[in-house]
């Protein structure tokens, strides 16, 4: 090997960049040699395309080369030459991957040429000594948006904050981002708090302490991109209304993931007010309103497009109960959806159906899509699975080849509205002739010429009609050019879906080229097979394999099951039995299972890293102890007090057999370790022992213990007995008032949702109210007794509503109920709501409210009596104060006759409203 030292890397070396620069001048022209297919034997991937400035420069060797070299004998620091020069260090990140890690982030929008000295690693021919490639860093840019304004103080509405986001094209440190933005109000600078996403591209800011005064003001935002080397600057003002001005601020339409109109006001909106008719979208009915602080979100029942007049009426109130001062009229545009494709499912195995191999997908605003299919050959599938899961795309060129490229029309279907998501189907039988055991990667993308999005453009070429002639079909087997493009090494695994004329600011504009490209495509790997495989590995590394027909779930008998190690070497092969099952003895280094039935193949990767999580299931079983294996299981995981509990004990004798009629002792203990149940069975031939237990209704909750004793061996299981079952529904019962009264109309509104947020529609609901005594008191009269001590009130249960909620999960009903005069004063009404799922389970919610059973309440303040005993002395005049209040604690200014009884003598007083006493 040649001993070339083109780059020195180490602490304290300040001349690295200069040395690299001089060496490249001596080398002459910078020729990219990475396109030479002869490098495929040595290099499997490398950094290329347009990448982030924080990326490392990576070269990944092939597995064959990595197995031949000794990394300790290679001076990694001599492998990379970089132009323009940058400081950094070289590391082996694994057996095959070498990375140059820059000391600092690379400059943006810079093209780099890399010379990787392959001859320092292995002996190669002269033309392969240097593997030369290039890449470019992303051109940095940013955009700034104010997302919303919120009120901090809901009592005085004096203080606000503004929330916004800065999006950058490439990663950027928060320290640099903080320097690009300033905010001022009335000439005073405001504090801005920053936080950044882990991706380094989304930076959120919060401007707090924005003050609302008697007069309206503005907040001035000014930004300058110099701190991040971007020549973008600008400013924006947003209004801060006066503290007395409740007004409409702005509106915008959100299209994803749901379409809704977002209307922002200056003040927080009063919650629970009925907004029907207060905000209208012309010709759109049955909309849904959601109040979120100072924002009202309006959801149409279906997606709409076009421009619609909006009316905001004055009846809307803020949290301080002030109404909007004037009606607002404006128009908003509900734009059409951007062109996109998406996959329907995430599966890989595609079994036969009556219609053959059919792959569904969905598209919006597209009249055609491009379909490319790559075949991973059967003899390469295990090699593909060495470095991929079933959905992977890593090192495709080493194992597969494109076989079909075709433009598929979508506008020749019966679909009327292409502006919404529509489902389409790819008939793979028409595109490919599937080979047994192969994996096919189907990629669906689109070009700008295939878009139906309405753009006002003068570019005739961009808006040209797409041709659907026969040449849009390409078979790679017949095209030397396409075949060459695939075999010629392109970019490796680090392609970032950018291109050199990419304009980041146009990335989301369907009328610009930057919107389109590979990053908008979707792809799915397909294994055309009817074989389903399940494998369980025991603690002794034995393998049990089950094979079933995916279409019918029937076991597949007498098919070949092969076991391979990671190096693709066959370890064992057997045929399945009548149950589709085969058991392999313990083996080391098992990695793949391959099932073969005629021409069909099934694959399963069985490394520890891809095994399914069993953390939610009790599958541990029991280890062999003294020649016995036992396991206790129940029909469910938790029981309630009073439930019947069915436990089963399974006994397996591995070595010596127990004598016939050997006792099998079962004990059941409560959380206090007290013996509750003991049962003795005799050994039977089946090995199954069933125990039926029933706990009492008042049984203590907690962890109970089931124990089975077999000879000198104990087997135990924890049995959970709980009283609480978690709700699955969120129930909201609202009376829109603080108390209920016999003199008012008490109307309740109910809304039911699933806990994940979806509407719970058409569910049976039962609402009961329980009335109990409650102490009657008023804040300004703490020493007065308002409850009648001569009366008592028995608890009453009443069903006040028993119907189904509507399609929106809502219901309205009256809560008026009569109470006899036995109530001593104020009552407490507790409402218990049960909403029943269709399966019979129910969720429950409970709220309590004061209930005033009388229109007025008379309070008596008795004298305190003497200090010694609290007695009222005879021959002394004592003052008794009486007050009559309404339910709000206000004095009733009316004449009332009050009848009281002392020592069986009835006295009558007249309330004198002018003197305010008796």
């Amino acid at each position: 090997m040649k001993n070339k030292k083109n780059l020195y890397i180490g602490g304290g070396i300040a001349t690295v960049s200069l040395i690299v620069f001089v060496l490249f001048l001596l080398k002459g022209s910078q020729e990219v040699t990475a396109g030479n297919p002869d490098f495929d034997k040595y290099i499997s991937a490398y950094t290329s395309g347009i990448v982030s400035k924080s990326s490392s420069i990576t070269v990944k060797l092939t597995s064959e080369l990595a197995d031949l070299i000794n990394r300790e004998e290679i001076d990694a620091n001599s492998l990379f030459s970089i132009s323009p020069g940058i400081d950094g260090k070289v590391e082996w990140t694994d057996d095959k991957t070498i990375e140059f890690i820059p000391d600092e982030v690379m400059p943006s929008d810079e093209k780099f040429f890399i010379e990787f000295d392959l001859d320092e690693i292995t002996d190669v021919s002269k033309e392969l000594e240097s593997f030369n490639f290039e890449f470019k860093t992303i051109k940095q840019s940013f955009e700034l948006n104010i997302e919303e304004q919120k009120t901090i103080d809901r009592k005085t509405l004096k203080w606000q904050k503004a929330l916004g986001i800065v999006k950058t094209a490439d990663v950027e440190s928060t320290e640099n981002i903080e320097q690009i933005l300033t905010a001022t109000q009335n000439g005073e600078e405001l504090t801005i708090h920053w936080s950044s996403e882990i991706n380094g591209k989304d930076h959120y800011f919060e401007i707090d302490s924005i003050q609302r005064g008697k007069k309206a003001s503005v907040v001035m935002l000014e930004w300058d991109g110099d701190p991040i080397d971007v020549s973008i600057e600008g400013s924006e003002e947003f209004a801060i209304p006066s503290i007395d001005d409740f007004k409409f601020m702005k509106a915008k339409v959100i299209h994803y993931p749901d379409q809704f109109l977002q209307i922002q006001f200056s003040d927080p909106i009063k919650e629970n007010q009925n907004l029907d008719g207060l905000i209208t979208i012309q010709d759109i009915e049955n909309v849904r309103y959601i109040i979120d602080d100072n924002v009202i979100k309006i959801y149409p029942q279906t997606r709409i497009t076009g421009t619609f007049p909006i009316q905001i009426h004055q009846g809307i109130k803020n949290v301080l109960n002030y109404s909007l001062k004037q009606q607002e009229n404006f128009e908003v545009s509900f734009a059409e959806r951007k062109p996109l494709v998406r996959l329907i499912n995430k599966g890989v195995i595609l079994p036969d159906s009556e219609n053959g191999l059919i792959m569904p997908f969905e598209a919006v605003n597209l009249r055609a899509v491009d379909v490319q299919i790559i075949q991973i050959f059967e003899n390469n599938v295990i090699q593909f699975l060495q470095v991929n899961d079933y959905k992977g795309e890593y090192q495709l060129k080493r194992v597969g080849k494109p076989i079909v490229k075709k433009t598929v029309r979508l506008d020749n279907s019966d679909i009327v509205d292409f502006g919404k998501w529509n489902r389409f189907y790819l008939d793979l039988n028409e595109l490919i002739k599937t080979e047994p055991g192969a994996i096919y990667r189907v990629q669906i993308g689109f070009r700008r010429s295939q878009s139906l999005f309405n753009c006002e453009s003068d570019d005739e070429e961009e808006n040209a009609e797409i041709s659907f002639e026969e040449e849009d079909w390409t078979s790679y087997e017949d095209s030397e050019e396409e075949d060459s493009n695939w075999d010629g090494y392109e970019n490796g695994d680090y392609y970032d879906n950018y291109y050199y004329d990419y304009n980041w600011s146009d990335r989301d504009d369907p009328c610009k080229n930057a919107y389109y490209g590979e990053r908008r495509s979707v792809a799915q790997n397909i294994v055309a097979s009817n074989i389903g495989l399940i494998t369980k590995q025991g603690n002794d590394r034995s393998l049990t394999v089950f094979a079933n027909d995916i279409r019918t779930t029937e076991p597949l008998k007498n098919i070949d099951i092969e076991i391979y190690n990671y190096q693709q070497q066959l370890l064992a092969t057997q045929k399945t039995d009548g149950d589709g099952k085969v058991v392999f003895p313990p083996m080391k280094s098992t990695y793949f299972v391959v099932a073969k039935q005629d021409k069909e193949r099934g694959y399963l990767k069985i490394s520890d890293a891809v095994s399914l999580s069993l953390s939610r299931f009790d599958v541990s079983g029991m280890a062999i102890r003294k020649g016995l294996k036992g396991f206790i299981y129940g029909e469910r995981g938790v029981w309630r007090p009073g439930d019947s509990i069915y436990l089963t004990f399974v006994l397996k004798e591995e070595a010596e057999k127990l004598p016939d009629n050997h006792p099998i002792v079962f004990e059941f203990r409560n959380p206090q370790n007290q013996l509750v149940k003991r049962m003795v069975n005799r050994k039977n031939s089946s090995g199954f022992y069933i125990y039926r237990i029933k706990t009492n209704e008042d049984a203590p909750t907690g962890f109970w213990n089931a124990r089975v004793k077999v000879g000198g061996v104990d087997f135990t299981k924890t049995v959970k007995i709980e009283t609480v079952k978690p709700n699955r529904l969120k129930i909201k019962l609202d009376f829109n008032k603080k108390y209920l009264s016999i003199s008012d109309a008490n109307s309740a509104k109910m809304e039911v949702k699933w806990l994940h947020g979806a509407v719970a529609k058409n569910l049976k609901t039962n609402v009961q109210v329980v009335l109990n005594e409650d102490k009657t008191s008023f804040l300004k009269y703490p020493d007065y007794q308002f409850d009648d001590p001569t009366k008592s009130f028995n608890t009453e249960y009443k069903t006040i509503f028993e119907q189904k909620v509507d399609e929106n999960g809502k219901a309205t009903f009256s809560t008026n109920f009569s109470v006899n005069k036995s109530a001593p004063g104020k009552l407490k009404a507790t409402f218990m709501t049960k909403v029943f799922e269709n399966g019979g389970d129910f969720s429950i919610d409970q709220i309590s409210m004061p209930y005033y059973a009388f229109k007025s309440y008379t309070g008596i303040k008795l004298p305190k009596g003497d200090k010694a005993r609290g007695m009222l002395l005879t021959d002394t005049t004592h003052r008794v104060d009486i007050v009559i209040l309404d339910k709000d604690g206000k004095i009733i200014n009316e004449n009332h006759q009050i009848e009281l009884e002392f020592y069986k003598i009835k006295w009558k007083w007249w309330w004198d409203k002018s003197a305010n006493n008796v």
Side-chain angles (χ1 to χ4, degrees):
M1 297 184 189
K2 293 186 301 180
N3 186 17
K4 294 192 297 184
K5 300 289 184 179
N6 293 334
L7 175 62
Y8 297 88
I9 302 172
I13 304 296
T15 61
V16 173
S17 299
L18 178 60
I19 294 173
V20 172
F21 178 71
V22 172
L23 286 173
F24 269 101
L25 287 179
L26 296 175
K27 288 179 180 290
S29 62
Q30 299 177 345
E31 180 185 358
V32 174
T33 61
N36 187 345
D38 293 337
F39 282 112
D40 290 358
K41 294 183 293 184
Y42 308 104
I43 308 294
S44 66
Y46 60 93
T47 301
S48 64
I50 295 187
V51 301
S52 171
K53 63 181 182 180
S54 64
S55 300
S56 58
I57 302 171
T58 304
V59 173
K60 185 178 285 289
L61 308 178
T62 62
S63 299
E64 293 82 354
L65 178 57
D67 293 338
L68 295 175
I69 64 176
N70 185 347
R71 291 189 300 152
E72 295 181 356
E73 296 179 355
I74 298 173
D75 182 8
N77 292 334
S78 67
L79 297 177
F80 287 93
S81 298
I82 305 171
S83 175
I86 50 177
D87 295 337
K89 60 182 178 180
V90 178
E91 291 183 355
W92 289 85
T93 57
D94 58 41
D95 293 342
K96 296 180 289 186
T97 307
I98 313 168
E99 285 191 1
F100 176 86
I101 305 173
D103 291 339
E104 298 179 352
V105 295
M106 295 178 282
S108 298
D109 196 27
E110 185 77 51
K111 190 174 182 179
F112 290 89
F113 180 84
I114 314 299
E115 183 176 346
F116 180 78
D117 292 333
L118 185 59
D119 60 338
E120 294 284 341
I121 294 179
T122 187
D123 292 322
V124 292
S125 59
K126 183 176 180 60
E127 61 272 15
L128 300 181
E129 289 180 352
S130 182
F131 180 74
N132 301 338
F133 59 96
E134 63 183 8
F135 65 88
K136 189 177 182 182
T137 53
I138 299 170
K139 182 179 180 180
Q140 186 63 290
S141 185
F142 73 93
E143 61 184 23
L144 181 148
N145 288 300
I146 293 291
E147 300 291 321
E148 57 183 329
Q149 294 170 236
K150 286 185 174 291
T151 299
I152 302 174
D153 183 1
R154 295 172 65 93
K155 292 183 178 180
T156 66
L157 310 183
K158 183 178 179 181
W159 298 99
Q160 282 191 344
K161 64 180 178 181
L163 307 175
I165 183 172
V166 173
K167 287 181 173 288
T168 54
D170 197 5
V171 297
E172 196 61 67
S173 67
T174 305
E175 293 76 13
N176 289 340
I177 291 293
E178 289 178 355
Q179 301 177 45
I180 71 174
L181 178 66
T182 59
T184 57
Q185 183 185 22
N186 298 327
E188 295 185 5
E189 188 169 345
L190 299 174
T191 302
I192 305 178
H193 301 285
W194 290 89
S195 62
S196 299
E197 291 282 3
I198 194 171
N199 63 15
K201 299 179 182 179
D202 297 326
H203 311 273
Y204 301 95
F205 62 87
E206 178 180 307
I207 307 171
D208 63 6
S209 302
I210 301 174
Q211 187 171 3
R212 295 178 64 183
K214 293 295 182 181
K215 295 182 179 180
S217 62
V218 296
V219 170
M220 171 65 75
L221 296 181
E222 295 179 289
W223 56 87
D224 188 340
D226 281 347
I228 59 174
D229 295 324
V230 176
S231 53
I232 295 178
E233 60 182 31
S235 62
E236 179 183 344
E237 292 182 350
F238 61 89
I240 305 299
S242 69
I243 198 169
D244 299 322
D245 190 8
F246 173 40
K247 61 186 293 186
F248 159 77
M249 299 293 290
K250 63 181 179 180
K252 66 177 179 179
V253 177
I254 307 297
H255 293 283
Y256 184 84
D258 296 318
Q259 185 189 56
F260 61 90
L261 173 63
Q262 178 175 293
I263 300 178
Q264 181 177 311
F265 295 86
S266 58
D267 302 344
I269 307 300
K270 180 181 180 181
E271 298 175 352
N272 305 322
Q273 64 180 302
N274 187 357
L275 295 175
D276 291 339
L278 296 180
I279 304 179
T280 59
I281 306 175
Q282 184 172 304
D283 300 329
I284 304 299
E285 298 179 352
N286 299 323
V287 297
R288 180 165 55 95
Y289 302 93
I290 293 179
I291 297 175
D292 181 13
D293 196 65
N294 63 327
V295 170
I296 297 177
K297 300 175 182 178
I298 307 173
Y299 292 81
Q301 284 191 328
T302 58
R303 279 193 171 261
I304 57 179
T305 58
T307 301
F308 292 84
I310 309 296
Q311 282 191 340
I312 302 177
H313 298 277
Q314 294 171 262
I316 299 175
K317 296 183 178 181
N318 66 6
V319 288
L320 300 183
N321 226 30
Y322 292 109
S323 297
L324 204 63
K325 291 185 177 180
Q326 64 182 29
Q327 179 174 311
E328 298 287 343
N329 298 281
F330 56 92
E331 290 185 344
V332 295
S333 175
F334 289 82
E336 56 185 323
R337 288 178 181 266
K338 299 175 183 179
L340 281 175
V341 292
R342 66 186 182 191
L343 298 174
I344 303 302
N345 54 58
K346 300 179 181 179
V348 174
I349 300 175
L350 186 62
D352 291 335
S353 67
E354 295 180 357
N355 300 319
L357 296 175
I358 302 297
M359 176 180 167
F361 69 96
E362 289 185 345
V364 60
N365 258 335
L366 290 171
R367 54 181 165 181
V369 293
D370 292 329
V371 178
Q372 177 180 258
I373 301 178
I374 300 170
Q375 179 181 356
I376 301 169
F377 303 103
E378 179 191 2
N379 57 350
N380 290 337
V381 167
I382 295 182
Q383 180 182 350
F384 170 76
L385 293 176
Q386 282 179 320
V387 293
N388 286 285
D389 59 19
Y390 300 102
K391 304 174 185 179
E393 56 179 328
Y394 187 54
Q395 293 189 11
L396 277 180
K397 297 184 182 187
R398 301 178 58 79
V399 295
K401 203 178 194 73
I403 57 173
V404 164
K405 180 180 179 182
K406 184 177 182 180
T407 297
V408 177
R409 294 187 64 166
L410 306 180
D411 57 356
N412 57 0
S413 61
D414 297 330
I415 292 173
V416 177
D417 184 6
F418 284 87
K420 66 178 183 179
W421 284 104
N422 294 291
R423 182 164 296 189
F424 302 92
Y425 298 90
L426 281 180
D427 187 350
L428 298 183
N429 299 285
E430 293 183 358
L431 300 177
I432 56 175
K433 183 179 179 181
T434 57
E435 296 182 9
I439 295 178
Y440 297 90
R441 182 167 181 82
V442 182
Q443 183 172 5
I444 305 173
F446 55 92
R447 291 167 277 151
R448 183 174 176 185
S449 60
Q450 297 164 337
S451 169
L452 290 173
F453 193 86
N454 185 24
C455 294
E456 296 181 2
S457 174
D458 297 327
D459 192 332
E460 295 181 1
E461 182 179 350
E462 290 179 354
N463 294 315
E465 289 294 325
I466 184 172
S467 171
F468 294 100
E469 302 299 330
E470 198 64 33
E471 57 261 30
D472 288 323
W473 162 278
T474 302
S475 171
Y476 280 89
E477 296 176 356
D478 302 328
S479 172
E480 294 183 2
E481 179 183 356
E482 297 287 358
D483 194 64
S484 174
N485 287 341
W486 176 260
D487 286 331
Y489 203 93
E490 297 175 354
N491 151 90
D493 300 331
Y494 305 96
Y495 183 55
D496 205 13
N497 288 327
Y498 287 98
Y499 40 88
Y500 283 108
D501 62 347
Y502 179 81
N503 189 338
W504 179 81
S505 300
D506 297 333
R507 70 196 183 283
D508 293 323
D509 186 352
C511 296
K512 299 294 180 62
N513 287 331
Y515 178 83
Y516 301 88
E518 187 181 357
R519 64 195 184 97
R520 298 290 179 187
S521 66
V522 295
Q524 185 170 9
N525 291 352
I526 298 296
V527 181
S529 176
N530 299 319
I531 302 175
L533 293 174
I534 299 175
T535 299
K536 185 178 185 301
Q537 189 172 51
N539 292 333
D540 60 351
R541 303 199 67 80
S542 63
L543 282 179
T544 304
V545 181
F546 301 88
N548 295 79
D549 190 314
I550 295 177
R551 300 164 299 179
T552 64
T553 71
E554 293 294 324
L556 296 175
K557 59 182 179 180
N558 203 34
I559 71 171
D560 293 318
I561 305 294
E562 299 176 346
I563 308 298
Y564 290 84
N565 62 14
Y566 181 79
Q567 290 74 28
Q568 308 179 50
Q569 301 302 303
L570 180 64
L571 301 179
T573 181
Q574 291 190 41
K575 290 185 179 291
T576 57
D577 59 18
D579 295 326
K581 174 183 174 183
V582 60
V583 179
F584 290 92
M587 291 178 287
K588 293 183 178 180
S589 304
T590 56
Y591 212 82
F592 304 104
V593 177
V594 179
K596 298 181 177 180
Q597 183 185 38
D598 298 327
K599 294 183 178 181
E600 286 195 61
R601 300 291 183 268
Y603 302 99
L604 187 61
K605 194 172 180 177
I606 55 174
S607 65
D608 292 338
V610 298
S611 62
L612 298 178
S613 172
L614 302 175
S615 59
R616 298 192 176 197
F617 304 93
D618 188 2
V619 295
S620 58
M622 296 296 294
I624 299 174
R625 298 161 61 194
K626 297 184 179 180
L628 298 175
K629 183 187 289 187
F631 185 66
I632 306 172
Y633 66 92
E635 86 281 8
R636 61 179 192 252
V638 63
W639 292 263
R640 298 177 181 175
D643 281 355
S644 295
I645 302 174
Y646 300 95
L647 299 177
T648 301
F649 173 65
V650 184
L651 178 66
K652 185 177 182 180
E653 300 165 273
E654 296 287 345
E656 297 181 4
K657 301 293 184 180
L658 293 171
D660 294 338
N661 296 322
H662 189 282
I664 311 295
V665 181
F666 172 80
E667 293 182 352
F668 191 56
R669 296 177 179 271
N670 65 17
Q672 288 76 39
N673 202 32
Q674 298 169 332
L675 183 63
V676 176
K677 188 81 173 179
R678 188 175 189 271
M679 303 170 66
V680 180
N681 299 89
R682 297 293 173 179
K683 178 193 167 186
N684 58 38
S685 59
S686 68
F688 284 79
Y689 304 87
I690 299 173
Y691 304 102
R692 297 180 175 88
I693 311 157
K694 182 175 176 60
T695 57
N696 297 326
E697 296 286 346
D698 58 351
T701 60
F703 295 99
W704 293 54
N705 183 267
R707 174 178 296 177
V708 176
K709 298 181 179 180
V710 184
V713 182
D714 292 352
F715 303 96
T716 62
K717 176 180 176 61
T718 298
V719 177
K720 297 179 182 179
I721 296 181
E722 303 289 347
T723 57
V724 177
K725 183 178 181 181
N727 280 352
R728 285 156 48 91
L729 295 166
K730 181 180 179 181
I731 304 168
K732 182 179 180 181
L733 187 63
D734 186 18
F735 293 89
N736 200 26
K737 55 176 64 178
K738 296 181 180 179
Y739 58 77
L740 303 177
S741 170
I742 193 173
S743 59
D744 298 331
N746 302 311
S747 179
K749 292 183 179 180
M750 183 191 306
E751 184 176 10
V752 183
K753 292 183 178 180
W754 297 99
L755 288 183
H756 51 67
V759 173
K761 59 183 180 180
N762 300 325
L763 297 183
K764 179 184 175 183
T765 305
N766 177 278
V767 182
Q768 281 190 329
V769 62
V770 182
L771 297 175
N772 293 290
E773 288 186 17
D774 196 13
K775 180 176 176 59
T776 308
S777 61
F778 296 92
L779 186 62
K780 293 182 179 180
Y781 303 93
D783 298 328
Y784 286 75
Q785 174 66 37
F786 291 92
D787 292 312
D788 189 344
T790 65
K791 295 180 180 179
S792 61
F793 183 81
N794 296 322
T795 300
E796 293 185 8
Y797 289 82
K798 297 178 183 289
T799 299
I800 59 174
F801 181 76
E802 193 167 13
Q803 293 181 28
K804 289 185 177 181
V805 294
D806 62 15
E807 289 285 328
N808 298 315
K810 296 181 180 180
T812 303
F813 55 90
S814 173
T815 60
N816 293 330
F817 41 82
S818 59
V819 178
N820 58 44
K821 294 185 178 181
S822 63
K826 184 178 72 172
L827 302 176
K828 182 172 74 172
T830 301
F831 296 88
M832 293 176 293
T833 305
K834 290 183 180 179
V835 180
F836 297 84
E837 302 174 25
N838 293 327
D841 286 343
F842 63 89
S843 296
I844 190 169
D845 186 62
Q846 179 175 306
I847 64 170
S848 296
M849 298 183 69
Y851 178 72
Y852 292 93
F854 304 100
K855 294 182 179 179
S856 61
Y857 291 83
T858 302
I860 300 177
K861 181 180 179 182
L862 297 175
K864 294 183 179 180
D866 66 342
K867 294 183 179 180
R869 293 160 294 179
M871 295 179 58
L872 297 179
L873 303 178
T874 58
D875 299 327
T876 303
T877 301
H878 299 283
R879 176 183 174 86
V880 177
D881 293 321
I882 299 177
V883 64
I884 302 177
L885 307 175
D886 64 13
K887 58 185 179 296
D888 293 316
K890 297 179 180 179
I891 294 176
I892 296 178
N893 291 322
E894 296 178 4
N895 290 329
H896 283 269
Q897 183 176 353
I898 306 169
E899 185 175 299
L900 301 176
E901 183 174 337
F902 288 107
Y903 296 101
K904 303 299 181 182
I905 301 175
K906 289 186 178 181
W907 298 81
K908 290 185 179 181
W909 286 270
W910 283 95
W911 177 258
D912 183 352
K913 65 180 181 179
S914 61
N916 197 23
N917 58 20
V918 176

